[in-house]
C-alpha cells in the first residue's frame, strides 16, 4: 500500500454524545496511525468526554450566549428536547471562531457533522477539503433520501405518515421505515423548520451537497446495498470506515466516584448466575415518560429476572418534570436487581458474564457495543434514528422489539424474548480488527489523494 504522509484532520461533531463519541473513536484510530488530529468542541463537552488521548489536540471553542439557552448547557443531554433548538442557534454562532482556527492552523481536511451547513463553502475558500462523517448507521442515512429531498425541493414526504413506508429511492427489498409513533416523536424536531431554526434534515442536505467526501460508520460485509445507494444519491465518493467497535474500556482517569461505582456494580454482578441478568438502559438522550417508566418497571418485576437498570430521571438541570419508579418497586425487587440513577460504566457492565441480554433504545453505538460481547438485543425505540435502526435489527434477526401500539407507541409488560445465534454471527463482521484496519487505511489513502492542497 502506498505510504501516506502525515495529514492534519480537524474533527467537528454536533453537540450530542451520540455524535461526539464516534468522532472521538475515529479520531483515536486515525491518531494512532500517525496523523495530527484537532478535535473541536466546547469546553464543557471536551471535559466530559471519556478516555481522552494524548495523541489528539483538543480545541475548546466557547459556546456563544443565546437567549433561552440555560447556563452550562453545551450538549443535548443538558436540555429538555424542546430547548435543543436554542443549542443549534448557539452552535451556528461558533462559525467565526472555527473559521479563525482553520485560518491559523491550515489543516488538510475538516471532517464534520450534519449541523454546520455553513462550513464547507468557507473551508473551500480556504483551500481546505471537507468530509461529512455520519454518526448514523447507513440504512438510517439512506432512508433520509437524496439531497433535493433533504433540502425540501420537490419533496415526496411532507407529513409523518409518508415516513412509515419504504421510500421510492430504495429499490431493493427492505423493511427500514419509521413506525407512526416513532416519526411523530421526531418530525417537528428534525424534519421541519421550527421558530426560524434551520431543520436537521435541511442541514444534512446542504452538508451532503457541498462536502468533497462522505464517510459512513458501516462496513460493506453488512450493508453493501446501502453503500451502493449512497453513491447514486450523493454523486460523490462514499467511504465506509467500519463499525468502530470499542477495543478497550474507557479509562476513568482516576475518578474515584466512577471507580467506586464500577466496584459496587461488579461486586453485584459477580454474585449473579452467568447469563441471567438483563441490562436495562436507554442512553443519555432518552428520558422516559412516567407511564413508560411504570410499564417498564412492571415488566421487569413480572419477568422474575435479575436486572441492572440505569435510569435517567431528568434531562438537564432545567428539567423540572422528574420521573419516579412506582412506589414499592425497589423494595419488591431489591433481592434481584440494581437501579442506578447516576453514571454507570456501560461497556464494563455489558462485558460481564452474568449479563445475558440488553434491553435498550437501539442507538447504533450501543448496538455495536452489545454485539462485541454477544449480548442478545431487546428493543424499545424513542428518538432520532432509533426506529430505523430497530428495523435493521429486526430484519437481520439481531434483535426483538417490544410490541407497541402502532399509533401512540404505548406498550405493556410482555415476554422477554432474545435472539442469540445471529449476534454471534454478526460479531465477526462488526468486531474484526483486521477489517477495521483495512477500512481506516482505505479512508486515509483517499484523504491523502484528494486533499485540496496537494
Amino acid at each position: 500500500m502506498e505510504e501516506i504522509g502525515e495529514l492534519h484532520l480537524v474533527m467537528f461533531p454536533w453537540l450530542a454524545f451520540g455524535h461526539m463519541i464516534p468522532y472521538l473513536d475515529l479520531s483515536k484510530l486515525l491518531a494512532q496511525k500517525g496523523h495530527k488530529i484537532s478535535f473541536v468542541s466546547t469546553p464543557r463537552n471536551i471535559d466530559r468526554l471519556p478516555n481522552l488521548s494524548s495523541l489528539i489536540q483538543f480545541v475548546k471553542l466557547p459556546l456563544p450566549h443565546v437567549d433561552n439557552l440555560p447556563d452550562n448547557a453545551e450538549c443535548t443531554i443538558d436540555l429538555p428536547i424542546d430547548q435543543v433548538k436554542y443549542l443549534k442557534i448557539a452552535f451556528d454562532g461558533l462559525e467565526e471562531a472555527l473559521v479563525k482556527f482553520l485560518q491559523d492552523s491550515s489543516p488538510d481536511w475538516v471532517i464534520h457533522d450534519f449541523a454546520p451547513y455553513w462550513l464547507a463553502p468557507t473551508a473551500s475558500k480556504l483551500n481546505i477539503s471537507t468530509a461529512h462523517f455520519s454518526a448514523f448507521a447507513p440504512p438510517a442515512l439512506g432512508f433520509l433520501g437524496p439531497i433535493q429531498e433533504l433540502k425540501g425541493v420537490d419533496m415526496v414526504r411532507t407529513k409523518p405518515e409518508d415516513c412509515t413506508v419504504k421510500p421510492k429511492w430504495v429499490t431493493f427489498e427492505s423493511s427500514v421505515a419509521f413506525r407512526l409513533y416513532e416519526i411523530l416523536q421526531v418530525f417537528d424536531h428534525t424534519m421541519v423548520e421550527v421558530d426560524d431554526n434551520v431543520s436537521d434534515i435541511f442541514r444534512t442536505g446542504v452538508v451532503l451537497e457541498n462536502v468533497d467526501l462522505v464517510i459512513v460508520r458501516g462496513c460493506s460485509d453488512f450493508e453493501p446495498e446501502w453503500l451502493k445507494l449512497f453513491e447514486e444519491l450523493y454523486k460523490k465518493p462514499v467511504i465506509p470506515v467500519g463499525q468502530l467497535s470499542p477495543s478497550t474500556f474507557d479509562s476513568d482517569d482516576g475518578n474515584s466516584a466512577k471507580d467506586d461505582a464500577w466496584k459496587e456494580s461488579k461486586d453485584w454482578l459477580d454474585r449473579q448466575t452467568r447469563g441471567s441478568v438483563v441490562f436495562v438502559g436507554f442512553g443519555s438522550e432518552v428520558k422516559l415518560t412516567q407511564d413508560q417508566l411504570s410499564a417498564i418497571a412492571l415488566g421487569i418485576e413480572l419477568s422474575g429476572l435479575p436486572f441492572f437498570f440505569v435510569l435517567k430521571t431528568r434531562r438537564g438541570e432545567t428539567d423540572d418534570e422528574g420521573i419516579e419508579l412506582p412506589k414499592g418497586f425497589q423494595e419488591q425487587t431489591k433481592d434481584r436487581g440494581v437501579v442506578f440513577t447516576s453514571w454507570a460504566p456501560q461497556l464494563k457492565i455489558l462485558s460481564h458474564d452474568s449479563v445475558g441480554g440488553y434491553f435498550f433504545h437501539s442507538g447504533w453505538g450501543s448496538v455495536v457495543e452489545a454485539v462485541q460481547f454477544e449480548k442478545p438485543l431487546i428493543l424499545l425505540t424513542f428518538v432520532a434514528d432509533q426506529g430505523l435502526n430497530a428495523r435493521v435489527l429486526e430484519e437481520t434477526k439481531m434483535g426483538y422489539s417490544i410490541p407497541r401500539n402502532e399509533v401512540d407507541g404505548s406498550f405493556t409488560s410482555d415476554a422477554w424474548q432474545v435472539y442469540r445465534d445471529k449476534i454471534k454471527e454478526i460479531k465477526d463482521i462488526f468486531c474484526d480488527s483486521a477489517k477495521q484496519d483495512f477500512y481506516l487505511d482505505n479512508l486515509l489513502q483517499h484523504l491523502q489523494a484528494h486533499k485540496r492542497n496537494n
Side-chain angles (χ1 to χ4, degrees):
M1 183 172 287
E2 180 184 347
E3 184 176 346
I4 301 172
E6 183 187 41
L7 294 166
H8 181 193
L9 310 174
V10 171
M11 311 293 283
F12 188 47
W14 163 235
L15 306 179
F17 278 94
H19 293 246
M20 289 185 285
I21 295 300
Y23 268 74
L24 181 60
D25 290 340
L26 180 58
S27 296
K28 291 174 185 175
L29 292 171
L30 295 172
Q32 288 167 6
K33 287 186 171 289
H35 300 282
K36 180 180 178 180
I37 308 296
S38 297
F39 189 102
V40 180
S41 192
T42 63
R44 189 170 183 227
N45 284 330
I46 288 176
D47 290 343
R48 289 185 289 182
L49 285 171
N51 197 17
L52 300 186
S53 170
S54 60
L55 298 176
I56 298 172
Q57 174 193 15
F58 290 93
V59 180
K60 297 179 177 181
L61 300 183
L63 194 67
H65 171 76
V66 169
D67 290 342
N68 300 313
L69 184 67
D71 294 339
N72 295 321
E74 298 186 8
C75 183
T76 54
I77 65 168
D78 300 328
L79 296 161
I81 194 166
D82 61 348
Q83 293 184 21
V84 171
K85 58 189 177 184
Y86 304 121
L87 186 64
K88 292 174 188 173
I89 295 171
F91 180 85
D92 290 340
L94 291 171
E95 180 177 5
E96 183 178 349
L98 178 63
V99 170
K100 177 66 164 59
F101 172 73
L102 296 178
Q103 289 173 329
D104 293 342
S105 58
S106 299
D108 297 299
W109 287 81
V110 181
I111 300 175
H112 63 86
D113 218 327
F114 77 93
Y117 65 106
W118 34 263
L119 178 52
T122 300
S124 178
K125 293 176 183 176
L126 298 175
N127 202 32
I128 300 170
S129 301
T130 55
H132 170 50
F133 171 41
S134 176
F136 298 119
L141 184 61
F143 181 84
L144 295 181
I147 290 171
Q148 293 296 88
E149 172 78 11
L150 297 171
K151 291 177 61 181
V153 180
D154 298 325
M155 288 181 66
V156 299
R157 295 187 298 207
T158 58
K159 56 186 184 299
E161 290 78 4
D162 297 333
C163 300
T164 63
V165 295
K166 186 180 77 167
K168 65 179 183 179
W169 50 84
V170 178
T171 56
F172 47 86
E173 186 176 348
S174 174
S175 63
V176 174
F178 285 105
R179 301 285 189 259
L180 182 58
Y181 62 83
E182 292 167 339
I183 190 61
L184 286 173
Q185 293 183 73
V186 301
F187 194 80
D188 288 341
H189 298 290
T190 60
M191 306 289 282
V192 297
E193 188 174 294
V194 178
D195 297 336
D196 297 323
N197 198 326
V198 180
S199 71
D200 291 353
I201 208 82
F202 181 84
R203 290 172 185 266
T204 303
V206 175
V207 164
L208 289 170
E209 181 177 48
N210 290 321
V211 294
D212 302 301
L213 172 70
V214 179
I215 304 169
V216 294
R217 182 180 186 175
C219 46
S220 54
D221 292 342
F222 183 64
E223 47 230 340
E225 67 277 13
W226 290 100
L227 296 176
K228 181 180 178 182
L229 174 64
F230 292 158
E231 299 273 2
E232 299 169 359
L233 292 178
Y234 310 143
K235 309 300 182 186
K236 61 188 60 182
V238 177
I239 308 295
V241 76
Q243 295 292 353
L244 305 178
S245 59
S247 57
T248 57
F249 296 132
D250 291 338
S251 167
D252 299 329
D253 299 324
N255 186 311
S256 59
K258 292 185 176 182
D259 290 343
D260 291 344
W262 169 236
K263 183 179 185 304
E264 183 180 347
S265 304
K266 187 176 185 301
D267 288 345
W268 184 85
L269 289 166
D270 286 345
R271 297 194 298 271
Q272 310 309 309
T273 303
R274 180 185 179 92
S276 66
V277 176
V278 176
F279 179 31
V280 185
F282 300 101
S284 59
E285 300 293 332
V286 173
K287 178 196 166 187
L288 305 169
T289 66
Q290 186 60 58
D291 286 346
Q292 289 169 340
L293 175 57
S294 296
I296 289 169
L298 178 59
I300 291 173
E301 187 174 346
L302 293 176
S303 74
L305 296 171
F307 65 89
F308 195 110
F309 190 0
V310 178
L311 174 62
K312 186 181 183 69
T313 58
R314 295 185 183 276
R315 181 170 166 138
E317 297 174 1
T318 62
D319 183 0
D320 57 3
E321 297 181 1
I323 55 174
E324 297 180 348
L325 287 162
K327 187 176 181 179
F329 172 80
Q330 289 183 277
E331 180 64 26
Q332 293 287 338
T333 61
K334 65 181 181 180
D335 293 332
R336 62 178 177 87
V338 169
V339 177
F340 256 52
T341 56
S342 59
W343 178 89
Q346 175 168 304
L347 202 58
K348 292 177 180 179
I349 295 169
L350 276 172
S351 73
H352 200 281
D353 287 343
S354 70
V355 173
Y358 189 19
F359 181 26
F360 75 124
H361 56 310
S362 77
W364 201 252
S366 294
V367 169
V368 175
E369 291 177 356
V371 168
Q372 180 178 12
F373 300 113
E374 300 182 9
K375 306 302 182 185
L377 309 178
I378 310 160
L379 315 174
L380 190 66
T381 63
F382 293 96
V383 297
D385 59 328
Q386 294 169 7
L388 301 178
N389 294 341
R391 300 300 93 72
V392 175
L393 299 172
E394 294 159 2
E395 192 175 81
T396 55
K397 300 295 187 292
M398 291 171 62
Y400 169 80
S401 288
I402 295 295
R404 301 173 74 168
N405 181 290
E406 287 293 317
V407 177
D408 64 14
S410 59
F411 55 90
T412 60
S413 56
D414 220 305
W416 294 75
Q417 179 180 348
V418 292
Y419 292 176
R420 295 180 181 273
D421 295 342
K422 193 65 178 182
I423 296 296
K424 293 181 180 180
E425 176 186 333
I426 296 297
K427 177 184 176 182
D428 294 335
I429 296 175
F430 276 31
C431 305
D432 186 296
S433 59
K435 289 181 180 178
Q436 178 67 78
D437 204 51
F438 168 81
Y439 285 124
L440 284 173
D441 285 341
N442 183 54
L443 171 64
L444 288 166
Q445 289 280 358
H446 197 97
L447 294 176
Q448 178 66 55
H450 297 283
K451 63 181 181 177
R452 290 177 184 268
N453 54 5
N454 268 337

